[in-house]
Amino acid sequence: MNVQIDEINPDILVMSLGGDLDMSVSPEVRKVLLPLFRENVSHIIVDLKDVGYIDSSGIATFVESLQMSRKTGIRFSLAGACPKVEAIFDLAHLKSIFEMSPDVAGLIEGEKGR
Amino acid sequence: MRLGLETLIEVKNLCKSFEGRAVLEGINLAVERGSVFVVMGGSGCGKTTLLRNLIGVIRPDSGQILVGGEDMTQFDENRMDGYRKRFGMLFQMGALLNSLSVHDNIALPLREHTKLDEKIIGVMVKMKLELVGLRDFEHLKPAQLSGGMQKRVALARALALDPEIVFYDEPTSGLDPVVTGVISQLILDLSKRMGITSVVITHDIGSAFMIADKMVVLFRGKVVAEGTPDQIRNSCDPLVQQFINGRPDGPIPLRQSSRDYLEDLLDI
């Protein structure tokens, strides 16, 4: 799995994932994702556009991030999920609890107006 | 129809005998990826033996079971371990560990087979329980649950590792009609929406016709009919008709003994 962190500006971090997010790699993703919830960050976006499959350990990793988001007040969003990945969130009854956007650009554009 | 094109499991000419008695006599079948495949048949027809071969608990006398093109009957223990992680199994009696809570029963395969953090496992257990509609019951022990609830917990545990294939052994036996409907719907959902391939061993005709993409009828160790639910329903084969209509006598004999009764009594 490819993991890349881009700092759009000091406030917004984008974590881009590529490949399948399953039990063999989700501990690695978690190790990178959790420390991003730090001071001076206002918004963390995970870009899923190059993720073809996500298993329940991947979704659980994002649920934990959402818990962190509630604790810290840092906004947490998912972007670019393909229909197959979205359907997996849906089946887990977790699509609605995440802020999901078609793409990262839209989220960043939205930030400008905030 | 939503059948995939790819065959995931192919059973070729599978034979198994116990102490000279043939239980499986040249079984051939093909299960497509993401489909629900139902194996029907009365008691003693060989369906449990077929299932035990499919999950690698016993090995056939001859024949092949190709999973993704590889013959799993030839796997060594190491490869069999890898294969076991690819499927979940819902046992007829649930097979939950009574000394463990519902939470720990579902967490068990995750603790055994993954390096996931306990926090992640905790979330996953809740997700699996939500899938089967039992989220508030994780701290109870299996003995504190009804039979239908135990079956649902067992299904949650079968799903713990996000398997590619789930084998179901009589998933609806002993359940009331509502819970039977719930379990059947869950099997369908998991297959349709998550692409899980389901192999269901059952003699519950109603559930079988509700969930199957394709079904086979086993009789005396042989496949005697196969097709879609409609094809099976409209089959002219008297044996199939007897089975699906639950008639007590017909080609499937009421009396299983082959020896003449009088001869048997006088021959002591």
Side-chain angles (χ1 to χ4, degrees):
Chain A
M1 159 138 273
N2 293 319
V3 181
Q4 191 188 320
I5 308 292
D6 290 302
E7 207 175 288
I8 302 301
N9 63 46
D11 290 351
I12 306 175
L13 301 178
V14 176
M15 179 194 226
S16 304
L17 302 177
D20 289 350
L21 179 50
D22 60 24
M23 288 178 208
S24 65
V25 294
S26 67
E28 254 175 80
V29 171
R30 178 175 185 262
K31 220 181 269 178
V32 180
L33 182 54
L34 283 185
L36 299 182
F37 288 86
R38 57 179 190 239
E39 272 181 56
N40 304 324
V41 171
S42 66
H43 191 178
I44 296 167
I45 301 169
V46 178
D47 189 355
L48 297 172
K49 80 170 185 307
D50 294 322
V51 172
Y53 172 75
I54 181 167
D55 74 3
S56 49
S57 76
I59 295 184
T61 302
F62 296 145
V63 169
E64 190 187 25
S65 296
L66 206 57
Q67 292 168 355
M68 288 293 284
S69 165
R70 299 237 164 121
K71 230 180 265 174
T72 58
I74 296 171
R75 189 175 165 202
F76 179 73
S77 320
L78 301 173
C82 66
K84 186 182 164 192
V85 168
E86 259 196 26
I88 297 170
F89 277 92
D90 200 17
L91 190 67
H93 304 161
L94 289 173
K95 197 174 153 192
S96 60
I97 72 162
F98 288 102
E99 183 184 345
M100 293 180 112
S101 171
D103 54 38
V104 174
L107 278 168
I108 294 171
E109 197 55 38
E111 279 283 340
K112 286 177 187 165
R114 282 163 77 97
Chain B
M1 290 302 282
R2 57 181 167 82
L3 295 187
L5 294 173
E6 184 195 347
T7 298
L8 180 59
I9 304 169
E10 191 172 8
V11 175
K12 285 183 166 176
N13 209 20
L14 199 74
C15 296
K16 181 72 186 175
S17 301
F18 293 108
E19 295 175 0
R21 194 173 63 89
V23 178
L24 299 178
E25 295 187 61
I27 300 285
N28 288 291
L29 51 88
V31 181
E32 285 169 355
R33 187 184 288 278
S35 69
V36 178
F37 189 92
V38 172
V39 179
M40 284 198 304
S43 305
C45 71
K47 54 189 194 306
T48 300
T49 302
L50 171 62
L51 179 67
R52 293 176 71 203
N53 275 279
L54 287 168
I55 63 174
V57 173
I58 54 174
R59 306 239 177 184
D61 299 335
S62 61
Q64 294 180 311
I65 301 173
L66 304 174
V67 180
E70 291 184 295
D71 185 3
M72 57 73 69
T73 66
Q74 301 301 315
F75 284 174
D76 58 21
E77 264 316 297
N78 195 26
R79 295 204 62 197
M80 194 59 91
D81 270 354
Y83 171 59
R84 288 194 184 108
K85 284 182 206 163
R86 290 174 64 188
F87 69 78
M89 170 80 212
L90 180 68
F91 294 94
Q92 188 173 356
M93 304 309 290
L96 296 171
L97 296 171
N98 285 323
S99 58
L100 299 181
S101 67
V102 164
H103 175 101
D104 287 338
N105 263 287
I106 300 167
L108 193 65
L110 293 164
R111 289 174 182 150
E112 292 252 308
H113 296 296
T114 73
K115 295 189 170 96
L116 297 169
D117 187 270
E118 272 300 315
K119 277 187 85 174
I120 297 296
I121 289 177
V123 174
M124 288 173 72
V125 168
K126 282 185 198 294
M127 286 166 63
K128 304 299 173 186
L129 281 170
E130 172 70 12
L131 274 182
V132 299
L134 282 182
R135 202 169 18 79
D136 295 328
F137 296 82
E138 55 188 296
H139 301 298
L140 295 183
K141 293 276 172 61
Q144 296 169 293
L145 303 173
S146 70
M149 287 159 111
Q150 287 183 14
K151 194 63 76 87
R152 286 198 272 172
V153 172
L155 178 54
R157 188 182 58 185
L159 297 172
L161 291 167
D162 288 0
E164 183 182 359
I165 306 163
V166 178
F167 294 106
Y168 298 85
D169 187 12
E170 302 284 3
T172 58
S173 73
L175 302 179
D176 69 50
V178 173
V179 182
T180 293
V182 168
I183 297 279
S184 302
Q185 191 60 49
L186 274 171
I187 296 171
L188 263 182
D189 273 355
L190 293 166
S191 155
K192 264 186 196 170
R193 302 174 68 188
M194 292 180 79
I196 291 177
T197 304
S198 306
V199 178
V200 185
I201 307 287
T202 189
H203 55 232
D204 179 339
I205 306 290
S207 170
F209 280 121
M210 173 182 165
I211 64 179
D213 289 307
K214 205 173 167 194
M215 56 215 298
V216 292
V217 179
L218 249 56
F219 180 62
R220 289 185 176 160
K222 292 182 177 145
V223 173
V224 293
E226 64 177 302
T228 62
D230 276 346
Q231 286 167 334
I232 296 290
R233 202 178 278 120
N234 298 324
S235 166
C236 301
D237 187 334
L239 197 145
V240 173
Q241 284 304 320
Q242 183 193 353
F243 183 72
I244 65 178
N245 292 307
R247 294 193 195 108
D249 213 356
I252 304 169
L254 182 64
R255 290 182 176 80
Q256 301 285 333
S257 317
S258 53
R259 287 183 73 189
D260 179 80
Y261 182 42
L262 269 182
E263 190 186 302
D264 201 12
L265 283 176
L266 299 175
D267 197 29
I268 298 168

